[in-house]
Amino acid sequence: MALLRTENVDFIYSKGTPFEKKALSHVTFSLEKNEFVGIVGTTGSGKSTFIKLLNGLLAPKKGAVYFNEQNIWSKGYDLRALRFAVGISFQYPEHQIFSDTVKEDIAYGLKNQGVPENLWQDKIMEVLKIVGLDETYLELSPFQLSGGEIRRVALASIMVMRPQVLILDEPTAGLDPVGRDTIYTALKQYQKETESTILVVSHNMDDVAEYADSLLVMSAGQILAQGTPAEVFSKTEELTAAGLAVPEITQLLHHLKLSGLPIQDSLFRIEDAAQELANFLNEVKKDE
Ligand SMILES: Nc1ncnc2c1ncn2[C@@H]1O[C@H](COP(=O)(O)OP(=O)(O)O)[C@@H](O)[C@H]1O
Ligand SMILES: [Mg+2]
C-alpha cells in the first residue's frame, strides 16, 4: 500500500484569466513507506507545484491525492493533521527566518504542534546532532550563520516535528559540494534513525542519484521518466532532449557504448563505472 500517491493530477494557475498556466498534467506517482525519492527536472517543470499538492497546500484541478489511501479532498478530511504528517521545507529557507535564535527557530514547529515545553530540549538536541551542529549554536542568531549552517537549521526545524513524509524543495541549491554532502548525509542518517519517508526536489541529477532509491523526472508539467536511478539514466537521449544533464560519468559510458564497447551505460557512481571499465579491460586482456 502506498503511503502517499497521486492519481492523474492536473494543476492550472490562474485558471480562466489571461495568465492561465497549466503547471501539471496527468501526474501519477506513488511513494512507499521508508523510500527516498528524488524529483528532478529543469526550472519551471512543475516540481514545486507538485509537492504543494502532496500536503494539500494546493488542490488538483483534476485527479486525486491519497494519503494512506484516503482522498485528502474528501469531505471532513483533516488537512491540518496531513500538514504535520507531510512536512515541507521550501526553497531558500533563509528567506523565511524570523526567530531571534536558532533554538527558537527549531522550537517553532513544536510549539505549533502543541508539544509540551519540557520535551523540547531533548527533541531539539536530537535533531541538532543529526544535522551535525552542537549546542553552542542554539543561542546564536540565524543571521550569524553561514549559508550551509542555515540550511542545516532549516532541516532540523522540520525534522524535529517528525513528519511521516519529509519533503525538501532544493535543499542544497547554492551550496558547495561539502555543504551538499553534509545535507544528504544528515538526511540519510535521519531516515535510518526514524524510518521516515523522504522526497527531495533537485534540479541536479548527480546530486540526488547518489542517495535516492528512485527518481521521478519531470518535464513541462509531465512525468518524463520514473524508476531507479539506473533505469532513469538508461534514457540518456530523452533526458538530454529535455534539457537535463545526465551525470558526466554516465555520459562517458554512454559514448563509449555508442562507439561499440560492450559495456553498461546506466551507471552513475564513479566507483561503479571504474569497476565496469576494469572488468571490460580484464576480459580484453584474457582474450589476448
Ligand atoms: N503562483 C504562480 N502563478 C502562475 N504561474 C506559476 C506560479 N507558480 C509557478 N508557476 C508556473 O508554473 C510552472 C511550474 O512552476 P514550478 O512548479 O515552480 O516549477 P519548478 O519548481 O520545477 O521550477 C512554471 O511555468 C511557473 O512559471
Ligand atoms: Mg521549484
Side-chain angles (χ1 to χ4, degrees):
M1 186 181 91
L3 181 58
L4 182 59
R5 69 184 178 93
T6 66
E7 203 176 84
N8 223 6
V9 293
D10 279 11
F11 188 81
I12 303 166
Y13 284 106
S14 314
K15 192 168 166 42
T17 77
F19 305 105
E20 180 166 319
K21 166 79 204 174
K22 184 146 198 194
L24 297 171
S25 321
H26 311 298
V27 181
T28 295
F29 165 77
S30 101
L31 189 64
E32 304 297 322
K33 191 176 179 318
N34 210 10
E35 220 183 351
F36 193 128
V37 175
I39 299 188
V40 293
T42 53
T43 302
S45 59
K47 306 181 298 295
S48 296
T49 304
F50 183 61
I51 61 173
K52 287 178 192 156
L53 289 175
L54 296 179
N55 79 344
L57 284 174
L58 294 176
K61 298 293 184 260
K62 266 194 208 148
V65 180
Y66 299 88
F67 183 60
N68 284 319
E69 293 305 329
Q70 275 193 293
N71 187 326
I72 69 167
W73 294 103
S74 57
K75 206 164 175 276
Y77 190 86
D78 189 350
L79 281 174
R80 184 178 144 84
L82 174 73
R83 291 186 189 132
F84 283 128
V86 179
I88 302 186
S89 169
F90 290 102
Q91 217 164 336
Y92 296 112
E94 46 272 50
H95 298 162
Q96 295 158 27
I97 287 174
F98 43 81
S99 307
D100 291 335
T101 64
V102 167
K103 185 174 178 178
E104 269 177 55
D105 209 57
I106 301 178
Y108 181 77
L110 294 175
K111 195 168 157 186
N112 266 341
Q113 275 181 317
V115 175
E117 209 167 328
N118 62 326
L119 302 178
W120 291 4
Q121 186 68 15
D122 284 353
K123 288 181 184 289
I124 292 173
M125 289 313 296
E126 202 178 2
V127 289
L128 211 57
K129 190 163 159 244
I130 294 177
V131 299
L133 298 174
D134 62 43
E135 61 188 321
T136 59
Y137 280 85
L138 289 177
E139 299 309 322
L140 296 181
S141 156
F143 296 101
Q144 289 171 273
L145 307 181
S146 71
E149 287 167 344
I150 291 181
R151 297 293 176 85
R152 286 194 261 166
V153 169
L155 201 55
S157 303
I158 186 136
M159 283 174 172
V160 79
M161 294 191 278
R162 286 299 161 90
Q164 290 178 55
V165 182
L166 178 64
I167 302 182
L168 306 159
D169 198 353
E170 306 266 6
T172 62
L175 296 186
D176 59 28
V178 176
R180 223 160 57 195
D181 283 347
T182 312
I183 296 284
Y184 279 107
T185 308
L187 278 174
K188 273 286 177 195
Q189 179 70 14
Y190 175 79
Q191 190 193 25
K192 213 169 85 191
E193 287 182 19
T194 62
E195 299 199 330
S196 49
T197 306
I198 297 178
L199 195 57
V200 176
V201 169
S202 174
H203 64 270
N204 181 347
M205 297 220 276
D206 286 44
D207 202 25
V208 275
E210 216 26 85
Y211 299 92
D213 302 313
S214 69
L215 297 177
L216 175 73
V217 184
M218 303 204 44
S219 174
Q222 291 183 296
I223 296 180
L224 182 74
Q226 205 168 1
T228 62
E231 283 162 359
V232 167
F233 294 142
S234 66
K235 300 184 175 155
T236 310
E237 269 89 18
E238 286 103 308
L239 297 174
T240 312
L244 287 157
V246 173
E248 285 186 350
I249 194 68
T250 312
Q251 291 181 40
L252 174 67
L253 294 171
H254 186 62
H255 285 287
L256 289 172
K257 189 174 176 177
L258 288 180
S259 0
L261 294 197
I263 55 171
Q264 200 191 328
D265 64 349
S266 58
L267 305 171
F268 49 89
R269 291 193 183 90
I270 305 266
E271 308 82 55
D272 296 344
Q275 190 61 54
E276 180 73 5
L277 288 172
N279 291 347
F280 170 73
L281 292 171
N282 286 332
E283 284 300 316
V284 173
K285 247 198 276 175
K286 251 193 267 165
D287 294 343
E288 275 171 6

